[in-house]
Amino acid sequence: MSIFKGAGVAIITPFHEDGSVDYESFARLIEFQIANGTDAIIVCGTTGEASTLSHEEHLDVVGFCIKQVAGRIPVVAGTGSNCTETAVYLSQEAEKLGADGVLLVSPYYNKATQNGLYTHFKTIADSIHIPVILYNIQGRTGVNIAPATIARLFHDVDNIVAVKEASGNISQVAHIAQLTDGQMDIYSGNDDQIVPILSLGGKGVISVLSNIAPKQTHDICQLYFDGKVEESAREQLRALPLVDALFCEVNPIPVKSAASYLGYGKNELRLPMTVMEEPNQERLKKAMIEYGIEGMA
């Protein structure tokens, strides 16, 4: 059973000017997502600036999101770390808070071997009972989880059920599907590759775009599932200029700006992330307008 099918939002964490979490804006953003068809919320991932949250803040944000969602759609908690012990702790606490699953990024900076990656993920998954989504993003972590390692984990560990694939390598996605007999749930980790990954049997996307265009991102997936492949592809291509603008600086810098334009918190990030450069802000605003996103402040 999949944790979710369709578009899951990799949701931002809004901050006040003093750096504290803006829970009022966070609650409104969660309601905006649910009202516009988002299929799941992935909280405290890369886009949620988890790396600059204290453990207490991290779990407070996860708990708040779970309570706000109140079972209406699945909530997946980002609980990965380059320290296995920390990831075990965060995962166990997220399970206690009621998370429907956890998202585990590959250990960054350490650059573990494939055997180290296998043991890391297995240790965390064995410590909890809820489903696990592996998160492969070599561009941010410095290490690729090889398809053979992903397949080994899927076959050996009952609650490792899915992978968020953000390598950008469609051939790798195909090999994961082949090595797991199409049984492992694969989610696109890139908003410009939703339809290609769905065509290989993918279950959806864990999306940055969904923060500001939840209905449109959901529809890309749903059109495909409904057999309207050409329409789905057309919507995928229509979104590309906005997706490009959302990644013209390091994520989540642009999407934080975009969310603030829509009134979901101030354009505040925690260092070392800094506010988007002015020319790129103008590019983003233009792309949002051309895409048809209204209500900008």
Side-chain angles (χ1 to χ4, degrees):
M1 177 68 73
S2 301
I3 302 174
F4 74 93
K5 183 179 180 181
V9 60
I11 202 163
I12 64 167
T13 304
F15 297 126
H16 291 294
E17 290 181 1
D18 66 1
S20 61
V21 177
D22 179 357
Y23 284 106
E24 186 274 332
S25 293
F26 191 40
R28 289 191 295 107
L29 180 58
I30 290 168
E31 292 305 319
F32 170 65
Q33 294 296 316
I34 294 173
N36 284 277
T38 289
D39 298 291
I41 293 179
I42 293 78
V43 61
C44 288
T46 304
T47 310
E49 296 177 75
S51 60
T52 58
L53 297 173
S54 69
H55 292 171
E56 182 180 11
E57 287 175 318
H58 190 133
L59 294 171
D60 283 348
V61 171
V62 169
F64 180 89
C65 184
I66 291 167
K67 288 181 180 178
Q68 185 69 36
V69 171
R72 289 174 286 176
I73 57 176
V75 175
V76 177
T79 56
S81 173
N82 65 338
C83 170
T84 305
E85 184 179 356
T86 298
V88 166
Y89 166 71
L90 291 174
S91 299
Q92 290 177 336
E93 293 301 308
E95 181 174 27
K96 292 175 188 175
L97 289 168
D100 296 287
V102 297
L103 178 72
L104 300 179
V105 69
S106 55
Y108 37 89
Y109 188 74
N110 311 55
K111 296 186 74 172
T113 64
Q114 293 300 310
N115 187 57
L117 292 172
Y118 174 87
T119 307
H120 170 81
F121 288 123
K122 186 177 187 303
T123 298
I124 303 163
D126 284 345
S127 77
I128 57 176
H129 302 93
I130 55 177
V132 171
I133 304 174
L134 306 177
Y135 181 12
N136 190 33
I137 182 164
Q138 184 175 5
R140 294 193 86 121
T141 65
V143 64
N144 180 56
I145 317 173
T149 303
I150 292 172
R152 182 182 172 203
L153 284 161
F154 174 74
H155 291 302
D156 290 357
V157 187
D158 287 344
N159 60 330
I160 293 180
V161 299
V163 60
K164 175 184 177 182
E165 243 300 329
S167 67
N169 185 340
I170 294 297
S171 294
Q172 173 151 303
V173 176
H175 279 95
I176 293 168
Q178 186 267 324
L179 290 169
T180 61
D181 298 318
Q183 297 303 303
M184 188 175 203
D185 291 344
I186 302 174
Y187 299 103
S188 176
N190 297 313
D191 284 311
D192 60 354
Q193 294 183 335
I194 302 171
V195 172
I197 287 179
L198 292 178
S199 75
L200 290 169
K203 287 294 190 295
V205 60
I206 296 177
S207 169
V208 173
L209 175 64
S210 282
N211 279 279
I212 60 169
K215 182 181 185 303
Q216 295 92 327
T217 313
H218 165 84
D219 286 350
I220 290 171
C221 296
Q222 194 58 54
L223 286 166
Y224 191 95
F225 298 145
D226 290 343
K228 300 176 181 178
V229 175
E230 290 185 9
E231 291 179 48
S232 174
R234 187 159 54 246
E235 288 304 305
Q236 168 82 92
L237 296 176
R238 189 174 76 85
L240 286 185
L242 178 54
V243 171
D244 289 344
L246 285 170
F247 288 90
C248 69
E249 291 189 25
V250 175
N251 180 52
I253 291 172
V255 74
K256 263 296 184 68
S257 289
S260 72
Y261 301 153
L262 296 178
Y264 295 107
K266 298 184 181 297
N267 188 15
E268 297 289 338
L269 301 105
R270 288 187 175 179
L271 289 171
M273 296 293 181
T274 53
V275 174
M276 200 175 187
E277 295 179 10
E278 185 61 33
N280 288 332
Q281 289 191 39
E282 293 307 312
R283 174 185 174 184
L284 177 59
K285 288 180 182 178
K286 182 174 182 288
M288 290 173 70
I289 292 168
E290 290 178 350
Y291 191 64
I293 295 177
E294 300 178 355
M296 290 190 293

